[in-house]
Structures are given as structure tokens and as C-alpha cells.
Amino acid sequence: SDPTPARVVIPVRNTPPQAFFIEEKLPPDTTLTVATFYFGATDVDGDQTVVGFYYRLDYEPDTLWHFVSKDSASVFLTDIEPGQRTIYLIAVDESYTASDTVSHSWYVKPVQGRILLIDDAKAGDFPTGTQPDLFFTNFLDNYFGSNSYTFFKVENGLPYSFFDVDYMINNLGFDLIIWYTGDQTEHFSSAINSFTTFLDSGKKLVLISPAVMNVLLNPSFTPSPFARNYIGVDSIVAWDKILLRNEKLWPQSTFYDTLQCSAPIISRFDGLKVLSSAKVLYVLPTISARWSGNPPCIIANPATNPQVVFSSIQLYALNGRNNAEAMLYRMITEELRFGKR
């Protein structure tokens, strides 16, 4: 026999995995105190060798890491401390070799008050020189106080996770949500399941949107029951109309004052056919060249103890008599019975 047989030494080295956040599912750059993160990992030894992840938030101790299995690969965070936040992530394989740490940073807004104001409008949605966000924040500052509300923007879309959206609407202590959209874009329709829960619990909604009925009652699709059951709109009788400077909306109660167009033009709003159970607050003026009769455009639903005020026309642009804030306050306090002094 050979006293010195040949041999081959093959070193066995386990390669650590690489962790990452799934970018297209990341929360917005700014969130409220809730956010969901989705994790991913690769491993040259085979992705199947990855068994899970550890994560922690920046304000937690360096030694406190939370484990998430590969099958879950996500975390739903609530009660996040406000401020600039960072989440750290590592992946581990079946031999518990750890990846390098990766991180993602974002900003968490504090929650305050019982009112949530949602800005669902892109910068280009409104005519140059108009600032609807200032109209609504000034309104809330003047009538309810600067600490009475939380202001949140969704102009680039709602958070990816349904859980984030639903928690924001139903679990952060808001009793009134004011949601306004652009003339042609909106994200409210993507949240109607959460608003069904919100309204069924007796809470209140002010929805100001020329765009939402283009989705909920689009004749090319099956109508959403939310339009009838919660907003009180049966159908649209005048699509995508315009109102010119100084033209007026007529109140249907002596309790309200005439509203007058203050912008050069208000475009793309709808004239409504409402259910008999709804209460008409304002109708369009008689302009036979643009529509028939006086279609409603601002309503409350249901007529008895309303929970929703809906306007198909931009309220901020109806301030020609400097009374739009006062009329909105009346709608909220008298129709919705919220915050009445």
C-alpha cells in the first residue's frame, strides 16, 4: 500500500446571507405612528438556507433584536415614537450566520387631537397660486385649535400595507376625518373598506372630492355600494363640469349662506342625483348651457343624524364671500354634531 496516499482538502465555508427591505413595499417617507416593513434575503449557498430576520428600532437597546421567521418576513409596527426613525435589519441562515446590517430611515409624525386632516392632492392638481392645504389648516386652527388635529399627506399614494391604512383610520383615536382630493386624482376609494368600519362605529367624515365619483360610480365598472350606502349619492347627472369666478352655489336651508366661486375657474366637479335619505345642502346655479336644473353638489347623509358631508366641488375655491370656513364649520357642527360649542 502507498504509505503517503494522495488527498484533497476542500475547505467548507458558510457564506452569510444578504438582507434587504422590499423597496416597492416601503412605507412613505413620512408616516404616523404605524408602519409595516417587508423583508427579503438572498444567500449564495441557496436562498432556502435563510431561516429568518432580526430587526430593531433605533431607540431600542443595541442588544434588543426581534426575530421574524422567513415565512412571515414582515413586521407591523404600532406606537412608534415620533421623530426621525431608523429600523435595522439582519438576516440569518440555518447555521445562524448573520448578514451585514442594513437600515431604512423615515419620519414619524406625532398624533394629536380627534381630527385627522388628509391632504390627497398632488401639487399640480390645483391652479397656480391656490393653496388648499392652507385653507383647511387655517380653518382648523381658527375654529378648533392648532392642537385639535393631525395633518397627513397621501398625495403620492396610501401606504402599501392595508394594515397601516386601517390602523391609521380606525385605531389612532380620530372621531372626525376631513379628506380632500385633487380634481383628477384621489386615493380615498382605496380606503373605503376601512371607512366602512370607521362610519359603522359612529364616527364622522367630511369628503371633498371632484374625483372620487369617477371611481365609485364610473359607468365602465360596477358601482360601489359605498356611494349609496354611506355618501348618499345615487348617480351622476352632470359629469366634470366647471364654475367660473363669481358664480354661486345656492343653499337649501336658511341656516347656510350663499357660496361664491373665488377662483378663475373650478373644474371637473359633478352634479349629483342623491337618495331621498340624504340632505341637500347646496345646489348648482341655473346654467342651462352646462347642466339641467339645479343639481346638488354638497350633501349630508343620512338626513337624520348625518355621519358624512360630501362635496363634489372644491370648497377652498368657494370663498368669494369670505365665508367658506364659516359654512364648513356649520356643516361639521350642525350636520355632523361634532365639536359644537
Side-chain angles (χ1 to χ4, degrees), residues 27-79:
D29 292 340
T30 299
T31 71
L32 298 183
T33 55
V34 55
T36 298
F37 291 90
Y38 295 85
F39 309 143
T42 59
D43 195 318
V44 297
D45 300 321
D47 292 351
Q48 73 278 2
T49 66
V50 177
V51 296
F53 304 87
Y54 285 92
Y55 76 90
R56 72 174 181 87
L57 293 173
D58 59 280
Y59 54 80
E60 296 180 306
D62 292 350
T63 56
L64 180 60
W65 290 82
H66 311 276
F67 180 74
V68 174
S69 71
K70 179 183 177 181
D71 291 337
S72 299
S74 66
V75 60
F76 172 53
L77 301 172
T78 62
D79 301 319

Side-chain angles (χ1 to χ4, degrees), residues 57-196:
L57 293 173
D58 59 280
Y59 54 80
E60 296 180 306
D62 292 350
T63 56
L64 180 60
W65 290 82
H66 311 276
F67 180 74
V68 174
S69 71
K70 179 183 177 181
D71 291 337
S72 299
S74 66
V75 60
F76 172 53
L77 301 172
T78 62
D79 301 319
I80 307 168
E81 290 186 10
Q84 191 69 31
R85 296 273 69 91
T86 300
I87 182 172
Y88 299 98
L89 176 70
I90 60 175
V92 292
D93 64 16
E94 55 194 7
S95 66
Y96 272 77
T97 301
S99 69
D100 290 337
T101 303
V102 295
S103 64
H104 176 78
S105 297
W106 81 110
Y107 183 75
V108 177
K109 288 193 70 170
V111 173
Q112 63 178 17
R114 297 167 55 210
I115 302 172
L116 175 61
L117 174 63
I118 298 286
D119 178 346
D120 181 12
K122 296 180 180 179
D125 281 345
F126 299 106
T128 302
T130 59
Q131 295 178 296
D133 54 339
L134 291 182
F135 171 84
F136 287 103
T137 55
N138 287 341
F139 161 73
L140 290 171
D141 289 344
N142 293 337
Y143 284 91
F144 293 95
S146 59
N147 295 322
S148 68
Y149 67 97
T150 298
F151 183 36
F152 189 63
K153 290 176 174 282
V154 298
E155 70 270 30
N156 293 320
L158 293 170
Y160 174 85
S161 169
F162 164 81
F163 299 106
D164 293 2
V165 176
D166 192 70
Y167 197 91
M168 178 177 68
I169 292 170
N170 288 300
N171 294 93
L172 292 181
F174 300 120
D175 296 317
L176 169 67
I177 296 180
I178 302 173
W179 188 307
Y180 65 92
T181 80
D183 291 344
Q184 301 183 58
T185 61
E186 59 82 34
H187 297 96
F188 177 87
S189 58
S190 298
I192 58 175
N193 288 338
S194 296
F195 272 101
T196 297

Side-chain angles (χ1 to χ4, degrees), residues 264-314:
I265 185 172
I266 307 177
S267 63
R268 304 190 70 88
F269 63 86
D270 302 322
L272 313 173
K273 178 182 177 183
V274 304
L275 300 177
S276 59
S277 58
K279 179 180 181 180
V280 177
L281 304 182
Y282 282 89
V283 299
L284 297 174
T286 302
I287 305 177
S288 59
R290 294 183 219 158
W291 48 72
S292 176
N294 302 96
C297 55
I298 303 178
I299 64 173
N301 189 65
T304 303
N305 297 321
Q307 285 185 264
V308 177
V309 167
F310 172 65
S311 175
S312 74
I313 189 168
Q314 296 289 6

